[in-house]
Amino acid sequence: MKGIVLAGGSGTRLYPLTIPVSKQLLPISDKPMIYYPLSVLMLAGIREILIIGKAADLPQFRTLLGDGSHLGLDLTYVAQPEPRGIAEAFLLGANHIGDDQCALVLGDNIFHGTAFSKLLRDEVRDLRGCTLFGYSVKDPERHGVGVTDEHGKLIDIEEKPSRPHSNRAITGLYLYDNDVVDIAKNLRPSVRGELEITDVNRAYVAAGRAKLIDLGRGFAWLDAGTPEAMLQASQYVRTLEERQGVRIACIEETALRMGYIDAQTCYRLGTSMSGSNYGRYVMDIAEEFGALV
């Protein structure tokens, strides 16, 4: 399976912060926002990942992440000329996807939960069509929500409904078979001129090939698209890390635990940032895994 991080858009809800810099390069606690969606794809076992962003932002992403080889990844980049909806990612990433399946994650979405890696890898292995991830929210009218029948089968997706039939918001993490590219190519733009991800998902629902996984207790989903949401996400991450003594979305640790790199490589990555608590944490994790120092 190939992965895509959609890190484009103008970030207007975060102005003036995002006038000079991409939203996904802003910090959530002590790490760039893009670390969080990137770590999700890594936890799913995905190593070939395309990052889509504005042309002006791509050099900064490359400075931060390079080609990914230091993490055991293969990272590539493509420019998004202008935001034309989430589903445009499949058109911009068609060559990257090729004949493979695809996982798409939005660059401002943060996920955390117990045994999340196993859940993701199981869904990747058993994918039949489309798998969406739902999360119960208090304000479903602000989201696309999944509606299921009495047997739990996904039968509809309502986009920001005034009278929602469900409180399960569709999160910004999507798994698709290879048909998603052709589906996206045949979409009609919305009145805003955008290719809507809900239309892609409804095509799978209509074909009876869409699945909704509820992220229940023990999981957190945060959309860090506004200043308030960024602050809440940072507070959540910081509180959890201080209480548990572990770091969320530490991509070096994730690469080590997933077997993408060895302990020695992880330790070297930590030493390059040893002036920070983050770097020293990476070094400590590598030592726990037996790095020779």
Side-chain angles (χ1 to χ4, degrees):
M1 177 175 280
K2 304 291 179 60
I4 297 177
V5 179
L6 183 56
S10 301
T12 54
R13 292 184 296 171
L14 286 163
Y15 273 11
L17 291 172
T18 49
I19 292 175
V21 66
S22 167
K23 169 175 59 177
Q24 286 80 17
L25 292 170
L26 295 176
I28 299 295
S29 188
D30 63 347
K31 59 192 77 72
M33 186 186 296
I34 197 171
Y35 275 31
Y36 296 87
L38 181 61
S39 70
V40 168
L41 297 180
M42 294 171 68
L43 288 171
I46 299 169
R47 302 174 71 169
E48 296 179 66
I49 299 169
L50 174 69
I51 296 174
I52 298 175
K54 292 192 299 183
D57 297 329
L58 293 187
Q60 295 171 299
F61 286 126
R62 287 193 178 97
T63 298
L64 177 66
L65 298 168
D67 64 2
S69 58
H70 61 294
L71 298 169
L73 304 177
D74 178 6
L75 299 182
T76 52
Y77 303 84
V78 69
Q80 181 185 41
E82 60 180 288
R84 292 186 59 241
I86 294 172
E88 186 187 27
F90 306 115
L91 305 185
L92 295 172
N95 290 336
H96 168 71
I97 297 169
D99 296 326
D100 213 334
Q101 300 173 325
C102 176
L104 171 66
V105 62
L106 303 187
D108 59 3
N109 273 218
I110 297 169
F111 296 85
H112 180 255
T114 305
F116 193 31
S117 181
K118 182 179 185 305
L119 171 64
L120 293 173
R121 284 182 282 125
D122 287 348
E123 291 304 320
V124 168
R125 183 192 65 227
D126 299 332
L127 181 65
R128 299 291 185 273
C130 161
T131 296
L132 308 175
F133 296 86
Y135 191 82
S136 295
V137 296
K138 295 180 180 179
D139 52 354
E141 66 279 355
R142 295 183 57 247
H143 303 270
V145 296
V147 181
T148 57
D149 63 16
E150 63 272 18
H151 303 294
K153 180 181 178 182
L154 183 63
I155 58 173
D156 192 16
I157 298 174
E158 300 176 334
E159 184 62 31
K160 297 182 180 178
S162 56
R163 295 182 179 181
H165 291 87
S166 165
N167 70 338
R168 281 171 290 189
I170 303 297
T171 68
L173 173 62
Y174 319 87
L175 307 180
Y176 298 102
D177 66 13
N178 192 255
D179 291 343
V180 71
V181 176
D182 285 335
I183 291 172
K185 287 179 179 178
N186 290 299
L187 287 182
R188 295 180 61 182
S190 68
V191 293
R192 297 182 298 176
E194 297 185 352
L195 301 178
E196 302 288 353
I197 195 68
T198 297
D199 291 338
V200 172
N201 296 334
R202 281 175 175 159
Y204 279 97
V205 172
R209 298 196 298 126
K211 179 181 180 181
L212 181 64
I213 299 295
D214 276 322
L215 299 178
R217 292 184 178 181
F219 281 91
W221 169 57
L222 303 165
D223 179 350
T226 66
E228 296 78 14
M230 282 187 61
L231 177 59
Q232 291 170 1
S234 291
Q235 291 172 334
Y236 171 85
V237 170
R238 184 175 180 84
T239 298
L240 213 61
E241 290 182 342
E242 288 181 346
R243 290 181 179 179
Q244 297 184 352
V246 298
R247 271 182 158 75
I248 298 172
C250 174
I251 55 178
E252 296 82 6
E253 179 181 7
T254 301
L256 177 60
R257 293 189 183 278
M258 293 297 293
Y260 301 162
I261 60 173
D262 59 24
Q264 281 296 109
T265 300
C266 186
Y267 188 84
R268 288 197 300 271
L269 294 174
T271 59
S272 69
M273 302 177 284
S274 59
S276 68
N277 289 334
Y278 182 92
R280 289 190 290 274
Y281 173 82
V282 173
M283 295 166 66
D284 289 344
I285 290 296
E287 289 184 24
E288 289 180 15
F289 271 72
L292 300 175
V293 298

